[in-house]
Amino acid sequence: MTARNRRWRKAAQLSAARWLVKARWTDAKQIRFPLGRARLIIAAMLKDPFQRLNLDREVLTVSQLNGRARLLLEDVFAQVWVEGEISNLARPASGHVYFTLKDRNAQVRCALFRQNAARIRQVLRDGLAVRVRGKVSLFEGRGDYQLILDMLEPAGDGALRLAFEALKEKLAAEGLFSAERKAALPAHPRRIGIVSSPTGAVIRDIISVFRRRAPQVELTLIPTAVQGREATGQIVRALQLADAQGFDALILARGGGSLEDLWCFNEEAVARAVDACVTPIVCAVGHETDVSIADFVADVRAPTPSAAAELLAPSSADLQQRLNGLQQRLVLRMRDRLHRDAMRLDGLTRRLRHPGERLQQQAQRIDDLEQRLLRALDRRLCSGQERLARLETRLAAQHPGRTLNLLRQRLDHLSSRLPRAMQANIKGRRQQLQGLAQTLNVVSPLATLSRGYSILLDDRGQAIRSASQTQPGQRLKARLGDGELDVRVEDNHLQPVTLPLL
C-alpha cells in the first residue's frame, strides 16, 4: 500500500468516526462502546458504503441525505488544492463571488465568500487559469456539489493568459480585428501557400484533403518552426516570403498543444505580420477550443488545419453537385416559363371573340341602358312632381293676402292699446312731476327767503358768504322773499356778532 493510499484510508476512518458521532448520537454522553467495537463498525462502514449511510436499516429524507453527504465531503476533503479555468463568473451585490472551475473534461462550482474575496488582489475574469484552496461541500438546498474557497492565485498559464488578454485588447483597440480589414477567400484558388512545420501530421492532413477534394490545386510549403523561442521570427519571415510569391491564399497551420506550446502565435510580431499580408490568409492553430491572437487577425479562422484545407479546396463532387443543381433549376424554370406562356396564350384565346358576338353584347347593353334611362326619367319626374306639390303648399301658406290680414289684425290690436298706454304714461309723468316739485320746494332758497332771510349779492351777482368779502362803502343788493334792496356797507365787523333769534 502506497503512502497516499494509507493517508486516504486514515482520513476515511477519521471521517467515518466523526460521521458516526454526528449522525447516530446527538449527545456525546450517550456514546458507550469499547474502542475495538468502534473499529469493527468503522471497518464495516468502509467496506459497505450503504451500511455506512445506514440505508439497510433506515429510510432517509432528502434533507437528511444531503446533510450527511455534506458532512462526509467536508470531513474527507477538508482542504484541497484544485487547478482549472474560471468561467461563468458572477459578482452579486452581497460581495460574494461565484464561478465555475473547469478543465477540458469536467467542471465544479466554486463559492468565494465576501471576507475571503476581499483578500484576493487578482482581477478575476472568465478564462483565467487559477489554483484554488478550499473544502469540498454540498449546498443542501439544491444538492449541488461545490468548493468553498479560502484562497485563490494564478496558476500555470495564468500570466500568459493575462498577457494574451492585454495584447488582445491592444490590437482590438487599433482595429486589427475589425471586419473591414478582412479579405474574402477566392472561390477557386489555383496556388496556395502553406506556412507550417514540414514534419508532423498537419501538412499531411492538408495534402490529403486537397488530394481528395481538389487535386488540381498547386500547394507550396513554406517551412517554419511552430514552437520554441525561434518560432516567432521564423513565422514572420515565412509569412513575408509567402506573401511575396503571389499565392491565391495562404494557410497558417499548427496542431494542438498547451498554451505555452502555442504561444508563438500569440506574439505581437506574428499578429502584425498576419495583418500585413495582402494575400488572404486562413489561420488554423490548435484544436477547435484553442484560440490565438493570429486567429483574430487572420481573414478567416478555421477550427482545425483540415477544416482550413476544406475551406480553400473546391471539391469536384461539390462542383458537380452544384452544376447538377443549376441544371435542374434551369430546366424547372424553363418548364415554368413555358407553362406560364401556355396559360397566357389560352387566356388570350378565350378573350379573342367574333365581332358579331361583341356587337350582340353591345346591343344588349344598349337595351339595358335604355331601360335604366327610362326608369331614371320616371323616378326623376315623380320626384319633381312631389317637390312641386310641396312648394305649392308652402307658397299657399306664405300668400301676401294672409300676411296682410295678420298684420291688419295686429295693427288694430296695437291701435286699441296705444290710447290706454299714452294715458297711463301721462298720468305717471304727472305724478312724478308733482313729486319733484314738492322736493324742489323743500330745498328751494325762495322758501328760505319767505321766512325773513335775505341774500347779499355784489355787483357781479356773487353771493356774499363772509364779512371779509366786503369793504366799507361798497354797494350791495339784498334779495328778499318778495323783492330786492340796494344797501351800502357802513362797516364790516370781522368779529362774530351774536344776533337774537327772531
Side-chain angles (χ1 to χ4, degrees), residues 337-456:
R337 180 65 179 272
L338 290 175
H339 180 67
R340 290 199 308 269
D341 291 344
M343 292 180 62
R344 184 182 179 189
L345 179 61
D346 292 339
L348 294 175
T349 303
R350 287 193 297 268
R351 291 173 59 186
L352 182 62
R353 299 180 180 179
H354 193 274
E357 182 181 355
R358 185 158 188 178
L359 288 174
Q360 292 177 359
Q361 291 180 354
Q362 294 295 333
Q364 184 178 0
R365 184 182 180 191
I366 290 173
D367 294 338
D368 182 59
L369 292 175
E370 182 181 2
Q371 295 295 329
R372 290 173 59 186
L373 178 60
L374 294 175
R375 289 194 297 269
L377 289 174
D378 291 339
R379 288 195 299 270
R380 183 69 178 270
L381 181 60
C382 292
S383 62
Q385 291 175 352
E386 292 177 356
R387 185 166 181 267
L388 178 60
R390 289 195 302 269
L391 292 175
E392 289 178 350
T393 303
R394 291 174 58 187
L395 180 61
Q398 298 179 1
H399 193 274
R402 183 178 179 183
T403 304
L404 289 174
N405 291 332
L406 293 175
L407 292 175
R408 187 178 292 110
Q409 292 177 3
R410 186 178 179 187
L411 178 61
D412 295 340
H413 177 68
L414 293 175
S415 299
S416 62
R417 288 177 59 189
L418 180 60
R420 294 194 298 271
M422 291 177 63
Q423 292 176 2
N425 191 12
I426 291 172
K427 184 178 178 180
R429 294 286 184 173
R430 184 179 291 112
Q431 291 176 357
Q432 184 180 4
L433 179 60
Q434 291 176 358
L436 293 175
Q438 292 176 1
T439 303
L440 182 60
N441 289 332
V442 171
V443 298
S444 177
L446 297 178
T448 304
L449 295 177
S450 64
R451 291 198 299 272
Y453 293 95
S454 64
I455 300 176
L456 294 178

Side-chain angles (χ1 to χ4, degrees), residues 284-342:
V285 176
H287 300 295
E288 293 187 20
T289 57
D290 298 325
V291 180
S292 65
I293 297 295
D295 292 331
F296 293 109
V297 182
D299 297 308
V300 178
R301 175 190 179 269
T304 60
S306 299
E310 291 178 358
L311 288 174
L312 292 172
S315 175
S316 56
D318 293 342
L319 292 177
Q320 184 64 37
Q321 183 178 1
R322 184 181 178 188
L323 181 61
N324 294 335
L326 293 175
Q327 183 179 2
Q328 292 177 2
R329 289 175 59 187
L330 178 61
V331 172
L332 291 175
R333 289 198 174 187
M334 291 178 65
R335 289 178 180 176
D336 185 55
R337 180 65 179 272
L338 290 175
H339 180 67
R340 290 199 308 269
D341 291 344

Side-chain angles (χ1 to χ4, degrees), residues 181-230:
R181 303 172 73 97
K182 309 296 183 183
L185 298 181
H188 302 284
R190 297 182 178 180
R191 298 178 62 247
I192 296 177
I194 303 173
V195 179
S196 184
S197 173
T199 61
V202 172
I203 187 63
R204 292 195 297 270
D205 292 342
I206 294 176
I207 294 175
S208 175
V209 171
F210 275 97
R211 184 178 298 168
R212 172 172 49 86
R213 293 173 59 91
Q216 73 279 4
V217 176
E218 177 185 344
L219 301 179
T220 302
L221 174 65
I222 297 89
T224 180
V226 292
Q227 181 177 345
R229 295 183 178 179
E230 299 178 356

